[in-house]
Amino acid sequence: MSADGAAGVAASTSEWPAPRWRFAPFDSLTVRELQYIYMARQAVFSVEQQCAFMDADGLDERAYHLAAWSPLQREPLAYARLLEPGAKYAEPSIGRVITTAAARARGLGRETMVRALAHAAETWPGAAIRIAAQSRLEAFYASLGFVIASPRFLEDGIDHTEMVRPGATAGLSAARRGD
């Protein structure tokens, strides 16, 4: 990625307007949105984290996609994928959570998860949510009400831990406050 960001637009993060959030099923994404989502995911997972894996895993078609868009960058500033129960786990799940390099240190990771949890609670009321968190982020996800549900395991060369958040509505107000 160039120093001025993938969109070729130079801007400091203090100049960025509030993002426009969009939550949509796969079939409602435009071709451009999908391309830019894939570009952002590849930039974070494949390039930054140097992780070779099949990102386009066939589950995107069954997912809801949450993205924070800005007119100053083609790719979403932040993104998460929500999967229905049974797609990956028995519970609904949230994954592919990213904040792009240009948008970091703005609280968008937390805001993305809070919004994803709110959408999950609305879409699957009362359901627990399961994630496969990068182990280095266990404390972050614990702050959102997730608890460790498995020993650490290696996935695509990175330590991960399954975590579950019981009842998608419990603790959401605390997560919004940043407690």
Side-chain angles (χ1 to χ4, degrees):
M1 190 178 303
S2 66
D4 61 356
V9 177
S12 74
T13 56
S14 62
E15 298 170 356
W16 289 37
R20 178 183 57 84
W21 291 90
R22 179 153 144 76
F23 179 70
F26 181 84
D27 288 337
S28 293
L29 296 172
T30 69
V31 173
R32 286 184 192 276
E33 285 174 322
L34 185 59
Q35 176 180 328
Y36 297 151
I37 286 168
Y38 284 153
M39 288 171 65
R41 287 176 11 185
Q42 289 173 5
V44 172
F45 297 128
S46 299
V47 178
E48 290 178 22
Q49 296 180 359
Q50 299 178 348
C51 184
F53 74 106
M54 185 60 73
D55 178 48
D57 59 1
L59 293 176
D60 286 313
E61 296 171 19
R62 298 177 63 181
Y64 287 92
H65 303 266
L66 174 65
W69 298 97
S70 169
L72 303 180
Q73 177 173 303
R74 286 183 307 192
E75 296 84 3
L77 302 173
Y79 170 84
R81 175 174 84 173
L82 286 76
L83 292 171
E84 65 192 358
K88 185 170 182 176
Y89 302 110
E91 307 89 349
S93 63
I94 299 171
R96 300 292 199 266
V97 179
I98 61 165
T99 303
T100 56
R104 294 197 183 123
R106 298 176 57 196
L108 286 176
R110 178 170 294 281
E111 186 172 357
T112 301
M113 282 303 299
V114 167
R115 287 175 179 268
L117 289 167
H119 285 297
E122 184 177 315
T123 307
W124 304 289
I129 306 296
R130 185 172 294 267
I131 61 174
Q134 290 187 9
S135 298
R136 67 183 179 83
L137 297 171
E138 287 173 6
F140 168 73
Y141 288 112
S143 77
L144 294 166
F146 286 90
V147 295
I148 293 173
S150 79
R152 289 186 176 183
F153 59 94
L154 213 55
E155 182 175 4
D156 303 316
I158 297 173
D159 279 334
H160 281 73
T161 308
E162 279 190 23
M163 300 181 79
V164 174
R165 186 173 191 271
T169 57
L172 190 54
S173 61
R176 284 194 176 126
R177 290 192 311 266
D179 294 350

